[in-house]
Amino acid sequence: EKIKKSIATIPKLKEQIDDTAILFKRRVEERLIRDPRIIHVLDNPNLDELDPSSYLGINIRRYVHIPETQSQAQNFICFQVDVNESRSLKNDKMKTVVITFVVFCEEKTLDTEYDIARHDLLGYFIKDDFNWTNMFGCQGKIVYDKESLTDKHYSVRTIKFELPGFNGIVKTIDGKPMI
């Protein structure tokens, strides 16, 4: 009975969640699919740009995964959220959150009509959308921006944002956030 009651709470997590990583990932996804520039430059002819949510799980992934070689060239934005709860020793009510974006663009698709390499252009849009934004309740700033390659013919742009966050001081009980 206790197990059934516990499992019954899982669907509610879609509506309310106190976990920083899950909450931030949802906000990142929402921001990425709301930016028509990103959807357009991801350049997936099999998906409809007017339905940007169709890019989730295909070209926009909420985890970092080196894409397999495709029969048709594809581009990807992968991201992860890391929470470091021990960074702020001066204030145990705060923690540091790092959001890492990894943009993978297959070498066949690097050239764009804008004369900017695709992974750099997508990186620019990500920086434009997330640097100094308050969408997480506090401002994030870029702490890392690096270009690299994979051995699978992808050019990569990795961008990290660091921001402060509250350290587990909020818990939702019966649908009401409590401090």
Side-chain angles (χ1 to χ4, degrees):
E1 184 64 34
K2 186 177 180 181
I3 293 172
K4 285 182 183 179
K5 188 176 182 181
S6 181
I7 292 172
T9 65
I10 293 173
K12 294 177 185 175
L13 294 178
K14 203 167 188 180
E15 308 304 320
Q16 69 185 42
I17 189 79
D18 293 326
D19 184 81
T20 301
I22 295 170
L23 181 63
F24 279 30
K25 283 184 176 189
R26 286 184 183 164
R27 290 183 182 166
V28 168
E29 281 180 336
E30 290 169 8
R31 176 61 70 94
L32 290 173
I33 64 172
R34 278 196 325 234
D35 189 333
R37 303 171 305 172
I38 288 175
I39 298 302
H40 177 71
V41 174
L42 279 170
D43 190 37
N44 188 334
N46 297 323
L47 298 175
D48 182 1
E49 286 187 30
L50 298 176
D51 180 18
S53 62
S54 66
Y55 286 72
L56 294 174
I58 297 173
N59 295 94
I60 298 173
R61 298 178 176 178
R62 64 177 75 121
Y63 49 86
V64 175
H65 171 77
I66 297 175
E68 59 286 341
T69 301
Q70 311 283 324
S71 58
Q72 179 180 349
Q74 287 196 42
N75 308 295
F76 302 90
I77 296 175
C78 302
F79 62 92
Q80 66 187 31
V81 175
D82 297 309
V83 180
N84 185 341
E85 298 189 20
S86 63
R87 253 196 80 206
S88 180
L89 300 175
K90 295 178 186 174
N91 184 349
D92 66 352
K93 302 289 187 260
M94 300 298 289
K95 61 186 169 190
T96 301
V97 179
V98 177
I99 302 172
T100 303
F101 292 88
V102 184
V103 178
F104 295 95
C105 293
E106 216 168 336
E107 66 184 348
K108 296 178 233 172
T109 67
L110 283 179
D111 294 330
T112 66
E113 60 192 281
Y114 310 104
D115 200 30
I116 302 171
R118 190 172 307 277
H119 64 300
D120 292 333
L121 187 55
L122 286 166
Y124 169 78
F125 295 146
I126 290 167
K127 290 182 276 190
D128 189 46
D129 284 348
F130 291 94
N131 198 31
W132 297 111
T133 181
N134 282 321
M135 69 180 286
F136 301 104
C138 49
Q139 289 185 335
K141 65 178 182 173
I142 296 172
V143 295
Y144 184 87
D145 184 0
K146 184 176 179 183
E147 182 175 25
S148 60
L149 297 168
T150 69
D151 59 351
K152 292 186 175 188
H153 308 288
Y154 284 93
S155 288
V156 179
R157 166 86 36 211
T158 303
I159 303 164
K160 293 183 182 188
F161 295 89
E162 189 173 89
L163 52 146
F166 292 109
N167 191 9
I169 63 171
V170 177
K171 180 164 180 73
T172 302
I173 301 171
D174 295 327
K176 297 177 185 169
M178 306 282 188
I179 295 180

